[in-house]
Amino acid sequence: MGSSHTQYPQPVVPKDIYAIVDCNNFYVSCERVFDPSLRDIPVGVLSNNDGCVIARSNELKALGVPMGAPLFEWKDKFIEYGVVVKSANFALYQDMSERVFRSLREFCEEIEIYSIDEAFLRINIGHKRLIELASDIKNIIYQWTGIPISIGLANTKTLAKLANKIAKKNAEHEGIYLIENLQDPKHTTYVSPLDLDDIWGIGNKIAYNLRIYGINNIYEFLDADRHLLKQQQGVLLERTWLELHGIRCYPINITRSSKKGILCSRTFKRAYTEYDQVAKAVAKFADNACRSLRAQGSIASHVWVFITTDRFTPEGRYSNSHRSKLSQPSDYTPKITKTALAGLRQIFRPNHKYKRAGVFLDNISPKGQIQQNFFYQHDLQSERKHTSLMRHFDKLNQIWGKGTLKFANQFLNVPEIQEQALRSPRYTTRWEEIIVVKSI
DNA sequence: TCTGGGGTCCTAGGACCC
DNA sequence: TCTGGGGTCCTAGGACCC
């Protein structure tokens, strides 16, 4: 036996475990909650302008329809297979998302909302029957919201994401999978068929590069030299490697951090050639971006505006952007809109067919924390006035519906920007569209 | 012809995620 | 005819300063 004086590093016994809760085919599942006739048939949800497929039911995936499939290319196949497509209804999805997370909090207070359909949970190891607990969560969420979920359990976020992928792909696990140690041979059956880019943090490009180094699958990646990975691909890949070995690099962030940039942009249904058409769109995007900015209590100091012609037509391609620094950081819609439009003036060129535009607010900081610039002290009073005006503006639009109040520069006489022929009613957010359940 | 070195800040671009 | 939108983080390189 070794000397009792020798100190060996003890294996860390985790006190908790991470779970990722992922809503299955979220947008499709939301549609199905309110329209049961969509169950068990291939369903797709479409992007703005009903351009391409952004969510697919399992039945649609089984037909080989990829993410982002353009509707016009697939139309005939869809008709042949009896596929139902729906226009995206983001207000509904956002509302359903909040319901799911509210329900999750009944089980666990330490939640990080990672995306509209995913959350990380920190579960105390005291719950030793992990699978049973996960199973309870899954059943209750379905019961309360109608949304099916999958749960991956592991010691790190990256492993939990991998476990989740396995849970989804292998029906026998009923949507729940636990990885304590990825090297354990019991996982081989499920891990071997996965590709490098099934790992969270490894995309197309890095998977391609790894293959060049002779790393072709997850097990070869695990055996790779950590320092070499860092040297060739950077710290992010090193962290991925560590996380797969069970070493935590990414903790669960319970406090929701505010956004560091806010973007609002759209592809137009038809190309615009006139300045006024593009300007109207830009004004609308600036307005939307300012709303999110105020909603998180921030101000921005930089305003980007960008325009671009159709990316699929090579001839006459033009795209440009302009960045302005505000004299003072602001959340005031008229000021930001004016700045965006001034930027647009700089980059707009006639005789182009513009297909897309956007406004991006950058260098964001919390409101009220910014030091007043000495030279702008006299603006203080007008700023207070602006703040009060925007508060009322937001309040009224919240009560009476988005778009009740608008600024004049959005009233240029051009057609509506989006077309969503197949959108389902906003069941949960609009009184006039809510489902009426007849009582007996 | 030759022509320092180190630090910081900013920006653009790339890669990833959903 | 018709091809989404909104984020994050890291890094390399330039500007600028001493």
Side-chain angles (χ1 to χ4, degrees):
Chain A
M1 291 298 288
S3 155
S4 59
H5 300 292
T6 315
Q7 297 250 326
Y8 292 105
Q10 295 297 306
V12 180
V13 181
K15 296 187 184 69
D16 54 26
I17 195 137
Y18 286 0
I20 178 88
V21 168
D22 191 326
C23 300
N24 301 345
N25 315 324
F26 183 56
Y27 297 169
V28 170
S29 296
C30 289
E31 295 291 340
R32 282 176 168 170
V33 169
F34 294 95
D35 184 355
S37 76
L38 298 174
R39 288 180 195 171
D40 305 317
I41 60 168
V43 180
V45 172
L46 303 173
S47 62
N48 284 310
N49 299 324
D50 298 331
C52 59
V53 177
I54 56 168
R56 301 158 296 157
S57 72
N58 287 342
E59 298 80 6
L60 193 56
K61 288 175 188 170
L63 291 174
V65 177
M67 184 69 170
L71 184 59
F72 76 93
E73 277 179 12
W74 285 84
K75 218 166 195 170
D76 296 341
K77 280 245 166 64
F78 283 4
I79 292 168
E80 188 187 332
Y81 294 139
V83 174
V84 175
V85 289
K86 305 283 285 184
S87 301
N89 184 349
F90 294 110
L92 174 71
Y93 310 148
Q94 188 57 50
D95 189 68
M96 290 303 289
S97 165
E98 282 158 24
R99 288 186 192 197
V100 169
F101 297 141
R102 262 201 309 276
S103 308
L104 273 180
R105 285 184 203 283
E106 297 286 320
F107 290 93
C108 175
E109 285 181 10
E110 295 189 58
I111 291 184
E112 174 186 340
I113 294 169
Y114 176 66
S115 74
I116 193 166
D117 66 340
E118 280 175 80
F120 287 103
L121 276 57
R122 197 182 75 86
I123 296 171
N124 216 303
I125 210 77
H127 297 281
K128 53 181 182 300
R129 296 185 314 279
L130 272 174
I131 302 291
E132 279 171 50
L133 174 70
S135 179
D136 287 348
I137 294 177
K138 189 186 139 206
N139 293 335
I140 294 287
I141 297 297
Y142 186 72
Q143 206 178 310
W144 288 354
T145 66
I147 301 291
I149 60 173
S150 302
I151 302 178
L153 298 152
N155 195 34
T156 67
K157 283 183 167 180
T158 308
L159 277 175
K161 290 282 288 184
L162 199 65
N164 189 274
K165 191 147 277 188
I166 291 170
K168 276 212 166 83
K169 286 194 176 188
N170 301 277
E172 67 268 32
H173 299 300
E174 297 180 343
I176 294 160
Y177 198 75
L178 164 69
I179 297 178
E180 277 162 323
N181 172 8
L182 188 54
Q183 314 263 20
D184 189 322
K186 72 180 174 189
H187 302 303
T188 314
T189 327
Y190 307 112
V191 174
S192 299
L194 297 177
D195 285 320
L196 282 170
D197 58 9
D198 284 315
I199 298 170
W200 191 51
I202 297 184
N204 267 338
K205 184 82 182 181
I206 288 177
Y208 176 85
N209 291 345
L210 287 174
R211 283 187 202 104
I212 290 176
Y213 309 139
I215 298 166
N216 295 294
N217 59 52
I218 294 179
Y219 288 113
E220 286 175 2
F221 180 72
L222 284 174
D223 290 339
D225 183 284
R226 165 190 163 186
H227 302 288
L228 206 64
L229 291 174
K230 180 181 181 180
Q231 189 192 321
Q232 291 179 323
Q233 292 290 325
V235 292
L236 292 178
L237 193 63
E238 185 193 27
R239 284 181 203 154
T240 300
W241 185 93
L242 288 167
E243 287 246 323
L244 287 181
H245 282 273
I247 298 155
R248 280 183 191 171
C249 300
Y250 304 113
I252 295 205
N253 297 311
I254 295 153
T255 51
R256 195 155 204 192
S257 51
S258 50
K259 290 172 200 156
K260 292 168 182 170
I262 291 173
L263 170 71
C264 184
S265 73
R266 289 289 180 282
T267 300
F268 309 134
K269 179 76 178 172
R270 275 170 285 276
Y272 291 158
T273 50
E274 302 300 315
Y275 175 81
D276 278 359
Q277 296 174 313
V278 182
K280 184 191 176 185
V282 164
K284 186 170 177 171
F285 302 152
D287 179 34
N288 279 342
C290 288
R291 283 169 211 265
S292 341
L293 189 64
R294 291 192 295 272
Q296 68 166 29
S298 301
I299 46 180
S301 65
H302 288 88
V303 180
W304 289 83
V305 56
F306 65 86
I307 47 175
T308 161
T309 54
D310 191 347
R311 65 195 166 113
F312 295 99
T313 16
E315 67 274 7
R317 189 177 291 176
Y318 171 72
S319 85
N320 207 344
S321 68
H322 184 273
R323 186 174 191 239
S324 321
K325 187 172 167 39
L326 296 169
S327 55
Q328 280 283 87
S330 174
D331 62 359
Y332 186 50
T333 300
K335 181 176 175 180
I336 287 172
T337 306
K338 203 175 144 193
T339 308
L341 290 174
L344 177 64
R345 280 270 178 222
Q346 300 284 313
I347 56 174
F348 185 88
R349 304 279 180 274
N351 306 320
H352 283 297
K353 294 177 180 168
Y354 295 101
K355 271 295 276 182
R356 185 177 150 87
V359 170
F360 183 59
L361 305 179
D362 205 2
N363 274 55
I364 286 174
S365 47
K367 188 166 183 158
Q369 204 177 289
I370 283 296
Q371 272 200 320
Q372 282 293 319
N373 182 326
F374 175 79
F375 296 102
Y376 292 91
Q377 285 284 342
H378 64 276
D379 282 348
L380 214 59
Q381 203 174 353
S382 74
E383 198 195 304
R384 285 203 191 100
K385 230 187 281 175
H386 291 164
T387 299
S388 155
L389 174 62
M390 295 319 298
R391 203 165 26 235
H392 288 101
F393 179 86
D394 290 338
K395 187 95 189 163
L396 283 169
N397 278 320
Q398 192 194 328
I399 294 171
W400 299 104
K402 198 174 153 189
T404 304
L405 278 186
K406 286 180 186 171
F407 285 95
N409 50 18
Q410 288 176 47
F411 280 106
L412 304 169
N413 187 27
V414 291
E416 274 308 301
I417 292 170
Q418 284 177 42
E419 185 166 302
Q420 292 196 317
L422 315 162
R423 186 176 59 75
S424 56
R426 288 158 284 191
Y427 300 106
T428 59
T429 51
R430 287 292 177 107
W431 290 110
E432 67 269 26
E433 291 175 359
I434 210 151
I435 281 187
V436 179
V437 181
K438 286 197 180 128
S439 49
I440 312 162

